[in-house]
Coordinates of all heavy atoms in Angstrom, one line a residue:
M243 N 0.8 -1.2 0.0 CA 0.0 0.0 0.0 C 0.9 1.3 0.0 O 0.6 2.2 -0.7 CB -0.9 -0.1 1.2 CG -1.8 1.0 1.4 SD -3.3 0.7 0.4 CE -4.2 2.0 0.8
Y244 N 1.9 1.2 0.8 CA 2.8 2.4 0.9 C 3.5 2.6 -0.5 O 3.6 3.8 -0.9 CB 3.8 2.1 2.0 CG 4.8 3.2 2.2 CD1 4.4 4.4 2.7 CD2 6.1 3.0 1.8 CE1 5.4 5.4 2.8 CE2 7.1 4.0 1.9 CZ 6.7 5.2 2.4 OH 7.6 6.2 2.6
Q245 N 3.9 1.6 -1.2 CA 4.5 1.7 -2.5 C 3.6 2.2 -3.5 O 4.0 3.0 -4.3 CB 5.0 0.3 -2.9 CG 6.1 -0.3 -2.1 CD 7.4 0.4 -2.4 OE1 7.5 1.6 -2.0 NE2 8.4 -0.3 -2.9
A246 N 2.3 1.8 -3.5 CA 1.3 2.3 -4.4 C 1.1 3.8 -4.2 O 1.0 4.6 -5.2 CB 0.0 1.6 -4.3
A247 N 1.0 4.3 -3.0 CA 0.8 5.7 -2.7 C 2.0 6.5 -3.2 O 1.9 7.6 -3.7 CB 0.5 5.9 -1.2
K248 N 3.2 5.9 -2.9 CA 4.4 6.6 -3.3 C 4.5 6.7 -4.9 O 4.9 7.7 -5.4 CB 5.6 5.8 -2.8 CG 6.9 6.6 -2.8 CD 7.9 5.8 -2.0 CE 9.2 6.6 -1.9 NZ 10.3 5.8 -1.3
A249 N 4.1 5.6 -5.6 CA 4.1 5.6 -7.0 C 3.1 6.6 -7.6 O 3.3 7.3 -8.6 CB 3.8 4.2 -7.6
A250 N 1.9 6.7 -6.9 CA 0.9 7.6 -7.4 C 1.4 9.1 -7.2 O 1.2 9.9 -8.1 CB -0.4 7.4 -6.6
K251 N 2.1 9.3 -6.1 CA 2.6 10.7 -5.8 C 3.7 11.0 -6.9 O 3.7 12.1 -7.4 CB 3.2 10.8 -4.4 CG 2.2 11.1 -3.4 CD 3.0 11.3 -2.1 CE 2.0 11.7 -1.0 NZ 2.7 12.1 0.3
A252 N 4.5 10.0 -7.2 CA 5.6 10.2 -8.2 C 4.9 10.5 -9.6 O 5.4 11.4 -10.3 CB 6.5 9.0 -8.2
A253 N 3.9 9.8 -9.9 CA 3.2 10.0 -11.2 C 2.6 11.3 -11.2 O 2.6 12.0 -12.3 CB 2.2 8.9 -11.4
E254 N 2.0 11.7 -10.1 CA 1.4 13.1 -10.0 C 2.4 14.2 -10.2 O 2.2 15.2 -10.9 CB 0.6 13.2 -8.7 CG -0.2 14.5 -8.6 CD -1.3 14.6 -9.6 OE1 -1.9 13.6 -10.0 OE2 -1.6 15.7 -10.1
A255 N 3.6 14.0 -9.6 CA 4.7 14.9 -9.7 C 5.2 15.0 -11.1 O 5.5 16.1 -11.6 CB 5.8 14.5 -8.7
V256 N 5.3 13.9 -11.8 CA 5.7 13.9 -13.2 C 4.7 14.7 -14.0 O 5.1 15.5 -14.9 CB 5.9 12.4 -13.7 CG1 6.0 12.4 -15.2 CG2 7.0 11.8 -13.0
K257 N 3.4 14.5 -13.8 CA 2.4 15.2 -14.5 C 2.5 16.7 -14.3 O 2.4 17.5 -15.2 CB 1.0 14.7 -14.1 CG 0.6 13.4 -14.6 CD -0.9 13.1 -14.2 CE -1.3 11.7 -14.7 NZ -2.6 11.4 -14.2
V258 N 2.8 17.1 -13.0 CA 2.9 18.5 -12.7 C 4.1 19.1 -13.4 O 4.1 20.2 -14.0 CB 3.0 18.7 -11.2 CG1 3.4 20.1 -10.8 CG2 1.6 18.4 -10.5
V259 N 5.2 18.3 -13.4 CA 6.4 18.8 -14.0 C 6.2 18.9 -15.5 O 6.6 19.9 -16.2 CB 7.6 17.9 -13.7 CG1 8.8 18.2 -14.6 CG2 8.0 18.0 -12.2
K260 N 5.6 17.9 -16.1 CA 5.3 18.0 -17.6 C 4.4 19.2 -17.9 O 4.6 19.9 -18.9 CB 4.6 16.7 -18.0 CG 5.5 15.6 -18.2 CD 4.8 14.4 -18.8 CE 5.7 13.2 -19.0 NZ 5.0 12.0 -19.5
A261 N 3.4 19.4 -17.1 CA 2.5 20.6 -17.3 C 3.2 21.9 -17.2 O 3.1 22.8 -18.0 CB 1.3 20.5 -16.3
R262 N 4.1 22.0 -16.2 CA 4.9 23.2 -16.0 C 5.9 23.4 -17.1 O 6.1 24.5 -17.6 CB 5.6 23.2 -14.6 CG 4.7 23.4 -13.5 CD 5.4 23.4 -12.2 NE 4.5 23.6 -11.0 CZ 4.9 23.4 -9.8 NH1 6.1 23.1 -9.5 NH2 4.0 23.5 -8.8
T263 N 6.5 22.3 -17.5 CA 7.4 22.4 -18.7 C 6.7 22.8 -19.9 O 7.2 23.7 -20.7 CB 8.1 21.0 -18.9 OG1 8.8 20.6 -17.6 CG2 9.2 21.1 -20.0
A264 N 5.6 22.2 -20.2 CA 4.8 22.6 -21.4 C 4.4 24.1 -21.3 O 4.5 24.8 -22.3 CB 3.6 21.7 -21.5
A265 N 4.0 24.5 -20.2 CA 3.6 25.9 -20.0 C 4.8 26.8 -20.2 O 4.7 27.9 -20.8 CB 3.0 26.2 -18.6
A266 N 6.0 26.4 -19.7 CA 7.2 27.2 -19.8 C 7.6 27.3 -21.3 O 8.0 28.3 -21.8 CB 8.3 26.6 -18.9
V267 N 7.5 26.1 -22.0 CA 7.9 26.1 -23.4 C 7.0 27.0 -24.2 O 7.4 27.8 -25.1 CB 7.9 24.6 -23.9 CG1 8.0 24.6 -25.4 CG2 9.0 23.9 -23.3
T268 N 5.7 26.9 -23.9 CA 4.7 27.8 -24.6 C 5.0 29.2 -24.3 O 4.9 30.1 -25.2 CB 3.3 27.4 -24.1 OG1 3.0 26.0 -24.4 CG2 2.2 28.3 -24.8
K269 N 5.3 29.5 -23.1 CA 5.6 30.9 -22.7 C 6.9 31.4 -23.4 O 6.9 32.5 -23.9 CB 5.7 31.0 -21.2 CG 5.8 32.4 -20.7 CD 5.9 32.5 -19.2 CE 5.9 33.9 -18.6 NZ 6.0 33.9 -17.2
A270 N 7.9 30.6 -23.5 CA 9.1 30.9 -24.1 C 8.9 31.1 -25.6 O 9.4 32.0 -26.2 CB 10.2 29.9 -23.9
A271 N 8.1 30.2 -26.2 CA 7.8 30.3 -27.7 C 7.1 31.6 -27.9 O 7.3 32.3 -28.9 CB 7.0 29.1 -28.1
T272 N 6.1 32.0 -27.1 CA 5.4 33.2 -27.2 C 6.3 34.4 -27.1 O 6.2 35.4 -27.9 CB 4.3 33.3 -26.2 OG1 3.4 32.2 -26.3 CG2 3.5 34.6 -26.3
A273 N 7.3 34.4 -26.2 CA 8.2 35.4 -26.0 C 9.1 35.6 -27.2 O 9.4 36.7 -27.7 CB 9.1 35.2 -24.7
V274 N 9.6 34.4 -27.8 CA 10.4 34.5 -29.0 C 9.6 35.1 -30.1 O 10.2 35.9 -30.9 CB 10.9 33.0 -29.3 CG1 11.5 33.0 -30.7 CG2 11.9 32.6 -28.3
R275 N 8.4 34.7 -30.3 CA 7.6 35.3 -31.4 C 7.4 36.8 -31.2 O 7.5 37.6 -32.1 CB 6.2 34.6 -31.4 CG 6.2 33.3 -32.2 CD 4.8 32.8 -32.5 NE 4.0 32.5 -31.3 CZ 4.1 31.3 -30.7 NH1 4.8 30.3 -31.2 NH2 3.4 31.0 -29.7
A276 N 7.2 37.2 -29.9 CA 7.1 38.7 -29.6 C 8.4 39.4 -30.0 O 8.3 40.5 -30.5 CB 6.7 38.9 -28.2
V277 N 9.5 38.8 -29.6 CA 10.8 39.5 -29.9 C 11.0 39.5 -31.4 O 11.4 40.6 -31.9 CB 12.0 38.7 -29.2 CG1 13.3 39.2 -29.7 CG2 11.9 38.9 -27.7
R278 N 10.7 38.5 -32.1 CA 10.9 38.5 -33.6 C 10.0 39.6 -34.2 O 10.4 40.3 -35.1 CB 10.5 37.1 -34.2 CG 11.5 36.1 -34.0 CD 11.1 34.8 -34.7 NE 12.0 33.7 -34.5 CZ 11.8 32.5 -34.6 NH1 10.6 32.1 -35.0 NH2 12.7 31.6 -34.5
E279 N 8.8 39.7 -33.7 CA 7.9 40.7 -34.3 C 8.4 42.1 -34.0 O 8.3 43.0 -34.8 CB 6.4 40.5 -33.7 CG 5.4 41.5 -34.2 CD 5.2 41.4 -35.7 OE1 5.5 40.4 -36.3 OE2 4.6 42.4 -36.2
A280 N 8.9 42.3 -32.7 CA 9.4 43.6 -32.4 C 10.6 43.9 -33.2 O 10.8 45.1 -33.7 CB 9.8 43.6 -30.9
V281 N 11.5 43.0 -33.5 CA 12.7 43.2 -34.3 C 12.2 43.5 -35.7 O 12.7 44.4 -36.4 CB 13.6 42.0 -34.3 CG1 14.7 42.1 -35.4 CG2 14.3 41.9 -32.9
R282 N 11.3 42.8 -36.2 CA 10.8 43.0 -37.6 C 10.2 44.4 -37.7 O 10.4 45.1 -38.7 CB 9.7 42.0 -38.0 CG 9.2 42.0 -39.4 CD 8.0 41.2 -39.7 NE 6.8 41.6 -39.0 CZ 6.1 42.7 -39.4 NH1 6.5 43.4 -40.4 NH2 5.0 43.0 -38.7
V283 N 9.4 44.8 -36.7 CA 8.8 46.2 -36.8 C 9.9 47.2 -36.7 O 9.9 48.2 -37.4 CB 7.8 46.3 -35.6 CG1 7.4 47.8 -35.4 CG2 6.6 45.4 -35.9
R284 N 10.9 47.0 -35.9 CA 12.0 48.0 -35.8 C 12.8 48.1 -37.1 O 13.1 49.2 -37.5 CB 13.0 47.6 -34.7 CG 12.6 47.9 -33.2 CD 12.5 49.4 -32.9 NE 13.7 50.1 -32.8 CZ 14.3 50.4 -31.7 NH1 13.9 49.9 -30.5 NH2 15.4 51.2 -31.7
V285 N 13.1 47.0 -37.7 CA 13.9 47.0 -38.9 C 13.0 47.6 -40.0 O 13.5 48.4 -40.8 CB 14.3 45.5 -39.3 CG1 14.8 45.5 -40.7 CG2 15.3 45.0 -38.3
A286 N 11.8 47.2 -40.1 CA 10.9 47.8 -41.1 C 10.8 49.3 -40.9 O 10.9 50.1 -41.9 CB 9.5 47.2 -41.1
G287 N 10.7 49.8 -39.7 CA 10.6 51.2 -39.4 C 11.9 51.9 -39.8 O 11.9 53.0 -40.4
A288 N 13.1 51.3 -39.5 CA 14.4 51.9 -39.9 C 14.5 52.0 -41.4 O 15.0 53.0 -41.9 CB 15.5 51.1 -39.3
V289 N 14.1 50.9 -42.1 CA 14.2 50.9 -43.6 C 13.3 52.0 -44.1 O 13.7 52.8 -45.0 CB 13.9 49.6 -44.1 CG1 13.7 49.6 -45.6 CG2 14.9 48.6 -43.8
L290 N 12.1 52.1 -43.6 CA 11.1 53.1 -44.1 C 11.7 54.5 -43.8 O 11.6 55.4 -44.7 CB 9.8 52.9 -43.4 CG 8.6 53.8 -43.9 CD1 8.4 53.5 -45.4 CD2 7.4 53.5 -43.2
C291 N 12.3 54.7 -42.7 CA 12.9 56.0 -42.3 C 14.0 56.4 -43.3 O 14.1 57.5 -43.8 CB 13.4 56.0 -40.9 SG 14.1 57.6 -40.3
R292 N 14.8 55.4 -43.7 CA 15.9 55.6 -44.6 C 15.4 56.0 -46.0 O 15.9 56.8 -46.7 CB 16.8 54.4 -44.8 CG 17.6 54.1 -43.6 CD 18.9 54.9 -43.7 NE 19.9 54.4 -42.8 CZ 21.0 55.0 -42.6 NH1 21.3 56.1 -43.2 NH2 21.9 54.5 -41.8
V293 N 14.3 55.3 -46.4 CA 13.7 55.6 -47.7 C 13.1 57.0 -47.7 O 13.3 57.7 -48.7 CB 12.6 54.5 -48.0 CG1 11.8 54.9 -49.2 CG2 13.2 53.2 -48.3
R294 N 12.5 57.3 -46.7 CA 11.9 58.7 -46.6 C 13.0 59.8 -46.6 O 12.9 60.8 -47.3 CB 11.1 58.9 -45.4 CG 9.7 58.2 -45.4 CD 8.9 58.3 -44.2 NE 7.7 57.6 -44.3 CZ 7.0 57.2 -43.3 NH1 7.4 57.4 -42.0 NH2 5.9 56.5 -43.4
A295 N 14.1 59.5 -45.9 CA 15.2 60.4 -45.9 C 15.8 60.5 -47.3 O 16.2 61.6 -47.8 CB 16.3 60.0 -44.9
A296 N 15.9 59.4 -48.0 CA 16.5 59.4 -49.4 C 15.6 60.2 -50.3 O 16.1 60.9 -51.2 CB 16.7 58.0 -49.9
R297 N 14.3 60.1 -50.1 CA 13.4 60.9 -51.0 C 13.5 62.4 -50.7 O 13.4 63.2 -51.6 CB 11.9 60.4 -50.7 CG 11.6 59.1 -51.3 CD 10.1 58.8 -51.2 NE 9.8 57.5 -51.6 CZ 8.8 56.8 -51.2 NH1 7.9 57.3 -50.4 NH2 8.6 55.5 -51.7
R298 N 13.7 62.7 -49.5 CA 13.8 64.2 -49.1 C 15.1 64.7 -49.8 O 15.1 65.9 -50.1 CB 13.8 64.4 -47.6 CG 12.5 64.2 -47.0 CD 12.5 64.7 -45.5 NE 13.5 64.0 -44.7 CZ 13.3 63.0 -43.9 NH1 12.0 62.5 -43.9 NH2 14.2 62.4 -43.2
D299 N 16.1 63.9 -49.8 CA 17.4 64.4 -50.3 C 17.5 64.2 -51.8 O 18.6 64.6 -52.4 CB 18.5 63.7 -49.6 CG 18.6 64.0 -48.1 OD1 18.0 65.1 -47.8 OD2 19.2 63.3 -47.4
A300 N 16.5 63.7 -52.5 CA 16.7 63.3 -53.9 C 16.6 64.6 -54.8 O 17.2 64.6 -55.9 CB 15.6 62.4 -54.3
G301 N 16.0 65.6 -54.4 CA 15.8 66.8 -55.3 C 16.8 67.9 -55.1 O 17.8 67.8 -54.3
M302 N 16.7 69.0 -55.8 CA 17.6 70.1 -55.7 C 17.0 71.1 -54.7 O 15.8 71.2 -54.5 CB 17.7 70.8 -57.1 CG 18.4 70.0 -58.1 SD 18.8 71.0 -59.6 CE 17.2 71.5 -60.2
V303 N 17.9 71.8 -54.1 CA 17.4 72.9 -53.2 C 17.2 74.1 -54.0 O 17.5 74.2 -55.2 CB 18.5 73.2 -52.1 CG1 18.6 72.0 -51.2 CG2 19.8 73.5 -52.7
T304 N 16.6 75.1 -53.4 CA 16.2 76.3 -54.1 C 17.3 77.0 -54.9 O 17.2 77.4 -56.0 CB 15.5 77.3 -53.1 OG1 14.5 76.6 -52.5 CG2 15.0 78.5 -53.9
S305 N 18.5 77.1 -54.2 CA 19.6 77.7 -54.9 C 20.1 77.0 -56.1 O 20.5 77.5 -57.1 CB 20.8 77.9 -53.9 OG 21.2 76.6 -53.5
E306 N 20.0 75.6 -56.1 CA 20.3 74.8 -57.2 C 19.3 75.0 -58.4 O 19.7 75.1 -59.5 CB 20.4 73.3 -56.9 CG 21.6 73.0 -56.0 CD 21.5 71.6 -55.4 OE1 20.4 71.1 -55.3 OE2 22.6 71.1 -55.1
Y307 N 18.1 75.2 -58.0 CA 17.1 75.5 -59.0 C 17.4 76.8 -59.7 O 17.3 77.0 -60.9 CB 15.6 75.6 -58.4 CG 15.0 74.2 -58.3 CD1 14.7 73.7 -57.1 CD2 14.7 73.5 -59.4 CE1 14.0 72.5 -56.9 CE2 14.0 72.2 -59.3 CZ 13.7 71.8 -58.1 OH 13.1 70.5 -57.9
A308 N 17.7 77.8 -58.9 CA 18.0 79.2 -59.4 C 19.2 79.1 -60.4 O 19.1 79.7 -61.5 CB 18.3 80.1 -58.3
V309 N 20.2 78.4 -60.0 CA 21.4 78.3 -60.9 C 21.1 77.6 -62.2 O 21.5 78.0 -63.3 CB 22.6 77.6 -60.1 CG1 23.7 77.3 -61.1 CG2 23.1 78.5 -59.0
G310 N 20.3 76.5 -62.0 CA 19.8 75.7 -63.2 C 19.0 76.6 -64.2 O 19.2 76.5 -65.4
I311 N 18.1 77.4 -63.6 CA 17.3 78.2 -64.5 C 18.1 79.3 -65.2 O 17.9 79.6 -66.3 CB 16.1 78.9 -63.6 CG1 15.1 77.8 -63.2 CG2 15.5 80.0 -64.4 CD1 14.1 78.3 -62.2
I312 N 19.0 79.9 -64.4 CA 19.9 80.9 -65.1 C 20.7 80.3 -66.2 O 20.9 80.9 -67.3 CB 20.8 81.6 -64.0 CG1 20.0 82.4 -63.0 CG2 21.9 82.4 -64.6 CD1 20.7 82.9 -61.8
A313 N 21.3 79.1 -66.0 CA 22.0 78.4 -67.0 C 21.2 78.1 -68.2 O 21.6 78.3 -69.4 CB 22.7 77.2 -66.5
A314 N 19.9 77.7 -68.0 CA 19.0 77.3 -69.1 C 18.7 78.6 -69.9 O 18.6 78.5 -71.1 CB 17.8 76.7 -68.5
V315 N 18.4 79.7 -69.2 CA 18.1 80.9 -69.9 C 19.3 81.4 -70.7 O 19.1 81.9 -71.8 CB 17.6 82.0 -68.9 CG1 17.5 83.4 -69.5 CG2 16.2 81.6 -68.3
A316 N 20.5 81.3 -70.1 CA 21.6 81.8 -70.9 C 21.9 80.9 -72.1 O 22.1 81.4 -73.2 CB 22.9 81.7 -70.0
F317 N 21.7 79.6 -72.0 CA 21.8 78.7 -73.1 C 20.7 79.0 -74.2 O 21.0 79.1 -75.4 CB 21.7 77.3 -72.7 CG 21.8 76.3 -73.8 CD1 23.1 76.1 -74.5 CD2 20.7 75.6 -74.3 CE1 23.2 75.2 -75.5 CE2 20.9 74.7 -75.4 CZ 22.1 74.5 -76.0
A318 N 19.5 79.3 -73.7 CA 18.4 79.7 -74.7 C 18.8 81.0 -75.4 O 18.5 81.1 -76.6 CB 17.1 79.8 -74.0
A319 N 19.3 81.9 -74.7 CA 19.7 83.2 -75.3 C 20.8 83.0 -76.4 O 20.7 83.6 -77.5 CB 20.1 84.2 -74.3
V320 N 21.8 82.2 -76.1 CA 22.8 82.0 -77.1 C 22.3 81.2 -78.3 O 22.6 81.6 -79.4 CB 24.0 81.2 -76.4 CG1 25.0 80.7 -77.4 CG2 24.7 82.0 -75.4
L321 N 21.4 80.2 -78.0 CA 20.8 79.5 -79.1 C 20.0 80.4 -80.0 O 20.0 80.3 -81.2 CB 20.0 78.3 -78.5 CG 19.5 77.3 -79.5 CD1 20.6 76.6 -80.3 CD2 18.6 76.3 -78.8
Y322 N 19.2 81.3 -79.4 CA 18.4 82.2 -80.1 C 19.2 83.1 -81.0 O 18.9 83.3 -82.2 CB 17.5 83.0 -79.2 CG 16.7 84.0 -79.9 CD1 15.5 83.7 -80.5 CD2 17.0 85.4 -79.9 CE1 14.7 84.6 -81.2 CE2 16.3 86.3 -80.5 CZ 15.1 85.9 -81.2 OH 14.4 86.9 -81.8
K323 N 20.3 83.6 -80.5 CA 21.2 84.5 -81.3 C 21.8 83.7 -82.5 O 21.9 84.3 -83.6 CB 22.3 85.0 -80.4 CG 21.9 86.1 -79.5 CD 21.5 87.3 -80.2 CE 21.3 88.5 -79.3 NZ 20.9 89.7 -80.0
V324 N 22.2 82.5 -82.2 CA 22.7 81.7 -83.3 C 21.7 81.4 -84.4 O 21.9 81.6 -85.6 CB 23.4 80.4 -82.8 CG1 23.7 79.4 -83.9 CG2 24.6 80.7 -81.9
V325 N 20.5 81.0 -84.0 CA 19.5 80.6 -84.9 C 19.0 81.8 -85.7 O 18.6 81.7 -86.9 CB 18.3 79.9 -84.2 CG1 17.1 79.7 -85.1 CG2 18.8 78.5 -83.7
T326 N 18.9 83.0 -85.1 CA 18.4 84.2 -85.8 C 19.5 84.9 -86.5 O 19.2 86.0 -87.2 CB 17.7 85.1 -84.7 OG1 18.7 85.5 -83.7 CG2 16.5 84.5 -84.1
S327 N 20.7 84.5 -86.5 CA 21.8 85.1 -87.3 C 21.5 84.9 -88.8 O 20.8 84.0 -89.2 CB 23.1 84.6 -87.0 OG 23.3 83.3 -87.4
G328 N 21.9 85.8 -89.7 CA 21.6 85.8 -91.1 C 22.1 84.5 -91.8 O 21.3 84.0 -92.6
Q329 N 23.3 84.1 -91.5 CA 23.8 82.9 -92.2 C 23.0 81.7 -91.8 O 22.6 80.9 -92.7 CB 25.3 82.7 -91.8 CG 25.9 81.6 -92.6 CD 27.4 81.4 -92.3 OE1 27.9 82.1 -91.4 NE2 28.0 80.5 -92.9
V330 N 22.7 81.5 -90.6 CA 21.9 80.3 -90.1 C 20.5 80.3 -90.7 O 19.9 79.3 -91.1 CB 21.9 80.2 -88.6 CG1 21.0 79.1 -88.1 CG2 23.3 80.0 -88.1
Q331 N 19.9 81.5 -90.7 CA 18.5 81.6 -91.3 C 18.5 81.2 -92.7 O 17.6 80.5 -93.2 CB 18.0 83.1 -91.1 CG 17.3 83.3 -89.8 CD 16.7 84.7 -89.7 OE1 17.0 85.6 -90.5 NE2 15.7 84.8 -88.8
A332 N 19.5 81.7 -93.5 CA 19.6 81.3 -94.9 C 19.7 79.8 -95.1 O 19.1 79.2 -95.9 CB 20.7 82.1 -95.5
E333 N 20.6 79.2 -94.3 CA 20.8 77.8 -94.3 C 19.5 77.0 -94.0 O 19.1 76.1 -94.7 CB 21.9 77.3 -93.4 CG 23.3 77.8 -93.8 CD 23.7 77.0 -95.1 OE1 23.4 75.9 -95.3 OE2 24.4 77.7 -95.9
L334 N 18.8 77.5 -92.9 CA 17.5 76.8 -92.6 C 16.5 77.0 -93.7 O 15.7 76.0 -93.9 CB 17.0 77.4 -91.2 CG 17.8 77.0 -90.0 CD1 17.3 77.7 -88.8 CD2 17.7 75.5 -89.8
Q335 N 16.4 78.1 -94.3 CA 15.5 78.4 -95.4 C 15.8 77.4 -96.6 O 14.9 76.9 -97.2 CB 15.4 79.8 -95.8 CG 14.7 80.7 -94.8 CD 14.8 82.2 -95.2 OE1 15.5 82.6 -96.1 NE2 14.0 83.0 -94.5
Q336 N 17.1 77.2 -96.9 CA 17.4 76.3 -98.0 C 17.0 74.9 -97.6 O 16.5 74.2 -98.5 CB 18.9 76.4 -98.2 CG 19.4 77.6 -99.0 CD 20.9 77.5 -99.2 OE1 21.6 76.7 -98.6 NE2 21.4 78.4 -100.0
I337 N 17.2 74.5 -96.4 CA 16.9 73.1 -96.0 C 15.4 72.9 -96.1 O 14.9 71.9 -96.6 CB 17.4 72.8 -94.5 CG1 18.9 72.8 -94.5 CG2 16.8 71.5 -94.0 CD1 19.5 72.7 -93.1
V338 N 14.6 73.9 -95.6 CA 13.1 73.7 -95.6 C 12.7 73.8 -97.1 O 11.8 73.0 -97.5 CB 12.5 74.9 -94.8 CG1 11.0 74.9 -95.0 CG2 12.8 74.7 -93.3
G339 N 13.3 74.7 -97.9 CA 12.9 74.7 -99.3 C 13.2 73.4 -100.0 O 12.3 72.9 -100.8
R340 N 14.3 72.8 -99.8 CA 14.6 71.5 -100.4 C 13.7 70.5 -100.0 O 13.2 69.6 -100.8 CB 16.1 71.1 -100.1 CG 17.1 71.8 -101.0 CD 18.4 71.2 -100.8 NE 18.8 71.7 -99.4 CZ 20.1 71.7 -99.0 NH1 21.1 71.3 -99.7 NH2 20.3 72.1 -97.8
A341 N 13.3 70.5 -98.7 CA 12.4 69.5 -98.2 C 11.0 69.6 -98.8 O 10.4 68.6 -99.2 CB 12.3 69.6 -96.7
L342 N 10.6 70.9 -99.0 CA 9.2 71.1 -99.6 C 9.2 70.8 -101.1 O 8.2 70.4 -101.7 CB 8.8 72.5 -99.3 CG 8.5 72.8 -97.9 CD1 8.1 74.3 -97.7 CD2 7.3 72.0 -97.4
N343 N 10.4 71.0 -101.8 CA 10.4 70.8 -103.2 C 10.8 69.3 -103.6 O 11.1 69.0 -104.7 CB 11.5 71.7 -103.9 CG 11.0 73.2 -103.8 OD1 9.8 73.4 -103.8 ND2 11.9 74.1 -103.7
G344 N 10.8 68.5 -102.6 CA 11.0 67.1 -102.9 C 12.5 66.7 -102.9 O 12.9 65.7 -103.5
G345 N 13.3 67.4 -102.2 CA 14.7 67.0 -102.0 C 15.6 67.4 -103.1 O 16.8 67.0 -103.2
G346 N 15.2 68.2 -104.1 CA 16.0 68.5 -105.3 C 16.7 69.7 -105.2 O 17.4 70.4 -104.9

């Protein structure tokens, strides 16, 4: 009788240990999933922050726009002077005339 009671207590202790171990494993697995999710969120946030920063730095600042516009206007003025000069106008009229007369 004493042996049976001792065996029953041992079996009950094993059940308790198994239950506690299963609970601990479940708790640890949940913690690991939570850490993975937290890391994923942090990494995604950092990547998104980098992308946004790159987009902000992708364009020109106002002074660069001003210099670009001045350069474009200067180039347009030089091109206009060249195209409206007498020799270039005569050449362009000859080209257009030949094109309209069938290339002859």
Side-chain angles (χ1 to χ4, degrees):
M243 182 85 174
Y244 178 70
Q245 292 288 67
K248 199 172 182 183
K251 277 188 176 183
E254 187 63 33
V256 168
K257 285 182 184 178
V258 169
V259 168
K260 283 184 179 179
R262 286 182 182 168
T263 303
V267 168
T268 302
K269 189 175 181 181
T272 302
V274 167
R275 281 193 292 274
V277 168
R278 281 184 184 159
E279 180 64 18
V281 168
R282 187 189 66 76
V283 168
R284 282 295 286 266
V285 169
V289 168
L290 190 59
C291 185
R292 288 277 198 190
V293 168
R294 286 180 181 154
R297 284 186 187 157
R298 284 193 301 266
D299 294 340
M302 294 190 298
V303 294
T304 306
S305 60
E306 290 171 333
Y307 276 116
V309 170
I311 289 171
I312 291 169
V315 168
F317 180 72
V320 168
L321 187 62
Y322 176 77
K323 285 290 188 182
V324 169
V325 170
T326 57
S327 69
Q329 184 179 2
V330 174
Q331 275 188 339
E333 290 291 326
L334 288 175
Q335 285 177 350
Q336 281 181 351
I337 292 170
V338 171
R340 280 186 292 199
L342 293 176
N343 293 329

